[in-house]
Amino acid sequence: LATGPRQDSSVFYEFRTYDIKPSKMKEFLEMVNKYFHFRTAHSELVGFWYTELGALNKVFHIWKYDNFAHRTAVRQAVANDKDWQGKFISAALPLMEKQHNEVAYLVPWCQLGKPPKEGGVYEWVTFQMKPGGPALWGEPFRAAINAHINTGYTKLIGVFHTEYGLLNRVHVLWWNESPDHRAAGRHRAHEDARVVAAVRDSVRFLESQQNTLLIPVQCSPLK
């Protein structure tokens, strides 16, 4: 039940999701923008967002690591960083309700992209696929993603498959100019015979799907 082939690189991505107390979200985001440079001094932050639709009172961020030894070294350095621990962690922990993380690799046929400009919104789509890994559903899934790309209504940022967390899970990060732009594109895709055929083939292997609209915070590299 392995997740299947991945890129030759040992680089992986850690997804961290924090549930924030509803009354404390504004305070938490202000602290992130003020103090997060202490954390990014230790390793590369890909993006940091808060949820707008599909989930509430959550923040979501992606970290890039060269390998697991790199992550271990970074975590040790972060634990010993007095500025990070004293100015952010000690104040932020009481604002959180829970934390969750996953480790994932980019799929072999995808490179991490960037939006064409700043000022848009991101969509995080999670697909729980049937057990068996990409050997079973990889090609139909890739065809469905490419069909959406070819409509030209959205920009693909990355496709990831999990290594730690629920297996047979694929996350896709999209960028759109606005929620309305995304909605209009979805309507066009639903009427495109190429997309309909590709999705119909891929959905045979799908168990569940969840979409979340993400808004980048001020300190996010992906904006």
Side-chain angles (χ1 to χ4, degrees), residues 1-166:
L1 302 183
T3 51
R6 61 175 180 260
Q7 291 176 333
D8 293 334
S9 172
S10 61
V11 170
F12 67 85
Y13 299 84
E14 182 178 4
F15 310 141
R16 298 181 72 90
T17 304
Y18 301 162
D19 285 44
I20 309 301
K21 294 178 180 178
S23 63
K24 299 297 184 179
M25 178 62 81
K26 183 176 183 293
E27 181 180 350
F28 183 87
L29 294 178
E30 289 174 348
M31 291 178 55
V32 167
N33 289 323
K34 185 175 182 180
Y35 295 120
F36 223 65
H37 63 281
F38 293 123
R39 176 60 184 84
T40 55
H42 295 283
S43 64
E44 181 179 348
L45 175 68
V46 175
F48 197 122
W49 302 265
Y50 64 87
T51 58
E52 180 70 12
L53 297 172
L56 293 175
N57 302 305
K58 294 179 184 288
V59 296
F60 173 73
H61 42 305
I62 301 176
W63 297 94
K64 180 180 179 181
Y65 294 102
D66 296 334
N67 49 46
F68 288 98
H70 178 215
R71 181 184 184 275
T72 298
V74 168
R75 298 299 295 173
Q76 291 174 346
V78 167
N80 293 323
D81 186 325
K82 293 182 179 179
D83 284 328
W84 174 245
Q85 295 295 329
K87 294 180 179 179
F88 183 82
I89 293 297
S90 61
L93 284 178
L95 311 183
M96 301 181 194
E97 294 189 326
K98 64 180 179 179
Q99 298 171 290
H100 173 75
N101 74 336
E102 291 180 85
V103 166
Y105 292 91
L106 279 168
V107 297
W109 43 269
C110 175
Q111 298 294 323
L112 191 64
K114 293 184 177 180
K117 61 181 181 181
E118 293 186 1
V121 297
Y122 292 78
E123 183 180 10
W124 184 251
V125 189
T126 298
F127 300 89
Q128 188 63 46
M129 309 301 290
K130 292 182 178 179
L136 174 67
W137 43 257
E139 287 305 314
F141 185 87
R142 180 180 182 179
I145 295 297
N146 285 336
H148 282 83
I149 295 172
N150 292 338
T151 64
Y153 83 88
T154 188
K155 166 69 176 178
L156 178 68
I157 303 299
V159 182
F160 309 83
H161 61 91
T162 55
E163 184 74 8
Y164 287 97
L166 284 176

